[in-house]
Amino acid sequence: MAKLIQVNENMEVKKADVIVRARYKLNPLSLKFITTLIAGLKRGDNINEVYQFRVKDFKELSGLKRKDLYWAVKEALKELLEKPIHIPKGKTPDDNSFLMFNWVASAEYKEGEGIVEFEISNKLRPYLLEAQKKFLKYRLENILSLRSSYSIRMYELLKDWFEMYNRYGKKAEVPPQSLNEFRQMLEIPQSYRFNDIKRFILEKAKSELAEHTDILFDYEEIKTGRRVTHLKFIIRLNPAKLQTDNGVQDNYFKSRKTFVALLRNNYNGNGKFFAWKTIVGKNYWLGLDRNGLVYATNGKDIKDFNAIESAELYDLWLKIAQNSYIYRQLIEQGVSLKEIAEKNKELWLELKEDIIRLKEEGII
């Protein structure tokens, strides 16, 4: 029996880095279909699992209004079967080894039921499960409203680079990328001059990502002689998107219960501090003892908190986590804030600026 995927915008997409950087070109609807399917995969699924989702659900989420939707579905399924993905496998620059396979083994549209049904290619499956070491993760909603297939591909590449080159801040500067390799990954026609790439791909993606996704980007053209040979991307979080979503992009930050569970997992009895508090004019660091209870210390004095006081502290710092990307990243990684204050002044100032902003906006 086929597994019905319940399509929703909060679904998490996971793709191995090698898939993100592979060479392929699909139309926007095909890309959204396969990405939705990928979001519905589970590690424990049967190797011969058949997947399906309702076109109606997909249409509502992606905002499609085409009268010829069902013709477009047919063309999208045909493309997934006919246009392969190309993964370079060479271990040296002179090694031209590669792997090619189709996205799906079969695709069926059931008109009376309004259902699309897929079988995943066995060659593709390993790249979509968590057995791979390096994965890109993002929420499905980020690509559903993008109209250009190049914009979807660029979102995934830029998101992957952001996670790679950003540590705790809101900005990532990517080392210069070869324009030729960029062309190959996105399968940009050789007939496109750089001005065409700039106008129809880079600028369009820049506009679409700013409107619909959780990241923004700028780019610099790097020339060798007179020709543009490399691109340098500067990627930032999209403040408008984070504000709309209230910054909540992980289940840890949806309730006090899940937030406390994260803190206890990362800070219980290890001497690390997840927050700070001013008590009678003195600054104290907040940690958790071996029993998972909150305590405060300034290096000399130690203060314990009762259940009510602890709950108030948890609620305060949960709000901060929901609205500060920097703080959220630090505690997800179990970093001690005292260490940041002592060893990374720039990041510490950014975090404090976030706190000031939240106070000014009346959030805390």
Side-chain angles (χ1 to χ4, degrees), residues 82-340:
E82 293 181 350
K83 289 191 176 181
I85 180 170
H86 180 287
I87 299 177
K89 301 285 284 186
K91 297 181 180 179
T92 66
D94 296 326
D95 186 348
N96 294 316
S97 301
F98 62 86
L99 171 66
M100 292 180 70
F101 50 81
N102 289 330
W103 289 96
V104 296
S106 69
E108 180 180 359
Y109 172 61
K110 300 183 177 181
E111 184 173 8
E113 302 172 56
I115 283 176
V116 173
E117 191 168 281
F118 297 96
E119 286 181 283
I120 287 286
S121 164
N122 286 335
K123 285 286 187 178
L124 175 63
R125 186 178 292 273
Y127 294 101
L128 304 180
L129 299 176
E130 293 183 61
Q132 298 293 313
K133 292 182 179 179
K134 295 182 179 180
F135 263 78
L136 167 67
K137 295 193 291 186
Y138 64 89
R139 286 171 61 182
L140 181 63
E141 68 168 342
N142 283 290
I143 62 115
L144 288 178
S145 296
L146 300 180
R147 302 180 64 183
S148 164
S149 58
Y150 289 125
S151 294
I152 297 173
R153 289 297 315 276
M154 283 204 64
Y155 170 77
E156 292 190 339
L157 280 170
L158 293 168
K159 185 76 171 176
D160 197 39
W161 285 334
F162 181 84
E163 297 300 333
M164 182 182 300
Y165 295 107
N166 157 69
R167 291 199 66 191
Y168 306 120
K170 301 177 180 179
K171 176 182 175 182
E173 293 192 13
V174 182
Q177 302 294 310
S178 163
L179 182 59
N180 282 338
E181 292 181 7
F182 182 73
R183 276 183 178 273
Q184 290 175 354
M185 281 190 291
L186 272 62
E187 294 203 345
I188 300 170
Q190 288 300 318
S191 60
Y192 272 40
R193 298 171 301 171
F194 179 72
N195 284 341
D196 298 322
I197 294 175
K198 183 174 181 178
R199 178 182 176 186
F200 298 114
I201 298 177
L202 293 171
E203 290 299 323
K204 187 169 184 177
K206 188 175 177 180
S207 175
E208 283 205 273
L209 267 58
E211 183 178 358
H212 298 295
T213 78
D214 55 3
I215 57 173
L216 307 168
F217 77 94
D218 289 304
Y219 61 93
E220 298 175 7
E221 303 167 16
I222 299 175
K223 294 183 177 181
T224 302
R226 290 184 167 185
R227 297 181 60 191
V228 176
T229 57
H230 291 76
L231 295 170
K232 180 181 178 181
F233 292 97
I234 301 94
I235 311 163
R236 298 177 177 84
L237 293 176
N238 187 343
K241 184 68 175 177
L242 290 175
Q243 183 177 4
T244 299
D245 290 343
N246 202 28
V248 184
Q249 297 197 20
D250 198 295
N251 289 333
Y252 292 129
F253 308 108
K254 290 188 175 180
S255 69
R256 183 201 298 167
K257 182 178 179 180
T258 54
F259 179 60
V260 171
L262 172 66
L263 294 181
R264 288 179 175 171
N265 183 64
N266 289 344
Y267 294 92
N268 253 32
N270 59 14
K272 294 181 179 181
F273 302 103
F274 68 91
W276 70 88
K277 180 177 176 61
T278 301
I279 303 174
V280 194
K282 295 181 180 180
N283 291 325
Y284 284 73
W285 295 104
L286 303 183
L288 297 175
D289 63 22
R290 292 182 179 179
N291 297 315
L293 301 176
V294 182
Y295 71 92
T297 179
N298 61 3
K300 297 180 180 180
D301 303 323
I302 296 178
K303 175 178 172 55
D304 296 317
F305 296 92
N306 61 36
I308 294 176
E309 290 172 327
S310 295
E312 291 175 349
L313 288 170
Y314 287 141
D315 288 343
L316 169 64
W317 287 94
L318 172 58
K319 284 184 180 179
I320 294 172
Q322 289 173 336
N323 292 278
S324 169
Y325 177 83
I326 297 173
Y327 180 63
R328 193 160 64 247
Q329 291 291 299
L330 290 171
I331 61 171
E332 276 190 311
Q333 297 178 40
V335 176
S336 177
L337 297 193
K338 184 174 185 290
E339 182 179 345
I340 296 298

Side-chain angles (χ1 to χ4, degrees), residues 5-13 36-37 39-41 61 138-141:
I5 297 173
Q6 301 292 338
V7 182
N8 69 81
E9 62 184 12
N10 293 316
M11 295 172 73
E12 185 179 65
V13 180
T36 300
L37 178 57
L41 294 179
L61 280 177
Y138 64 89
R139 286 171 61 182
L140 181 63
E141 68 168 342

